Amino acid sequence: KNQVEQSPQSLIILEGKNCTLQCNYTVSPFSNLRWYKQDTGRGPVSLTIMTFSENTKSNGRYTATLDADTKQSSLHITASQLSDSASYICVVSGNTGGFKTIFGAGTRLFVKA
Amino acid sequence: SQTIHQWPATLVQPVGSPLSLECTVEGTSNPNLYWYRQAAGRGLQLLFYSVGIGQISSEVPQNLSASRPQDRQFILSSKKLLLSDSGFYLCAWSVRGPSYNEQFFGPGTRLTVL
């Protein structure tokens, strides 16, 4: 069964600290993995997208890594800001006909002053 | 540039009433269009997707339906709402092609069924 599991479910950190969010998936065959940021009550916004051959991708203070062998990805946030408080969603797409894009349940990040 | 609109932003409806949510995309042609529902604290659940006018694929059996009367218009409907239909509804588009193309999301509609 194709699944995307994220951990932790929620996380509280102090402003300025770093954090790492995890994503494990079983989607196969794999096409790409995306990380989205979703502010409360808003639509998700794409942060990074990685294909099978990419190991890391950065977008400002956000750095995503991908290990296609172990089917794991992480999103590292550096020097967190209050505006980073949001849900972070891992999305994995398969490389077959039909629709096979699986959304993780997300990690809810709270950044406190 | 492309933009995606959804309305209304919020909606409170009684059980048994009809529903119509609208989504439109600007700045692109022949997009794939998607409807998702997000329950509180849960991941996005794909409800419908469309690869063209009049072409609708349903992912989850339920009392909702979708229609695509125009290339860049996607409508989510129900004849009789249930309490369980409450949630955050998101419309998304992607470039026509494989389903693994990046999706761009609208601002969402918060539906509360009382």
Side-chain angles (χ1 to χ4, degrees):
Chain A
K1 181 179 179 181
N2 293 309
Q3 289 185 312
V4 176
E5 296 184 351
Q6 293 187 242
S7 62
Q9 189 173 31
S10 63
L11 182 63
I12 302 173
I13 62 173
L14 292 176
E15 185 180 14
K17 299 296 185 181
N18 304 335
C19 67
T20 300
L21 314 180
Q22 300 291 341
C23 174
N24 297 336
Y25 64 92
T26 60
V27 178
S28 181
F30 170 83
S31 173
N32 61 56
L33 184 148
R34 300 187 289 272
W35 283 94
Y36 283 88
K37 178 186 178 186
Q38 184 178 22
D39 293 315
T40 301
R42 307 289 294 274
V45 175
S46 180
L47 294 175
T48 63
I49 179 169
M50 290 182 292
T51 60
F52 181 87
S53 60
E54 296 177 290
N55 300 119
T56 185
K57 182 79 65 83
S58 291
N59 178 0
R61 294 180 296 102
Y62 301 101
T63 299
T65 64
L66 173 64
D67 186 333
D69 292 329
T70 62
K71 295 183 169 58
Q72 295 179 327
S73 176
S74 65
L75 180 68
H76 186 75
I77 303 176
T78 304
S80 61
Q81 300 176 358
L82 296 178
S83 59
D84 292 331
S85 296
S87 289
Y88 291 85
I89 303 171
C90 176
V91 184
V92 182
S93 293
N95 190 16
T96 61
F99 189 89
K100 189 188 285 187
T101 293
I102 310 298
F103 288 75
T107 291
R108 189 73 175 93
L109 175 65
F110 300 89
V111 180
K112 294 195 169 184
Chain B
S1 64
Q2 301 86 10
T3 56
I4 179 169
H5 304 278
Q6 284 186 245
W7 65 91
T10 60
L11 189 60
V12 180
Q13 292 284 95
V15 170
S17 64
L19 173 73
S20 181
L21 303 181
E22 189 163 345
C23 170
T24 59
V25 182
E26 296 177 355
T28 185
S29 297
N30 305 314
N32 286 352
L33 296 173
Y34 310 85
W35 276 113
Y36 291 90
R37 178 169 58 203
Q38 187 176 34
R42 304 287 294 276
L44 274 70
Q45 178 188 39
L46 179 65
L47 302 176
F48 302 94
Y49 71 95
S50 171
V51 298
I53 296 175
Q55 300 180 62
I56 308 295
S57 296
S58 174
E59 291 293 304
V60 182
Q62 57 213 325
N63 70 318
L64 298 172
S65 62
S67 62
R68 185 170 177 174
Q70 300 180 44
D71 181 47
R72 289 169 288 179
Q73 183 184 30
F74 206 21
I75 298 172
L76 183 68
S77 304
S78 174
K79 293 182 179 179
K80 288 186 178 182
L81 284 168
L82 306 173
L83 286 175
S84 57
D85 291 324
S86 293
F88 191 51
Y89 288 83
L90 287 159
C91 181
W93 74 273
S94 68
V95 172
R96 174 70 61 86
S99 62
Y100 49 79
N101 284 344
E102 182 175 2
Q103 295 179 34
F104 301 91
F105 288 85
T109 294
R110 173 72 60 189
L111 172 65
T112 302
V113 182
L114 302 175

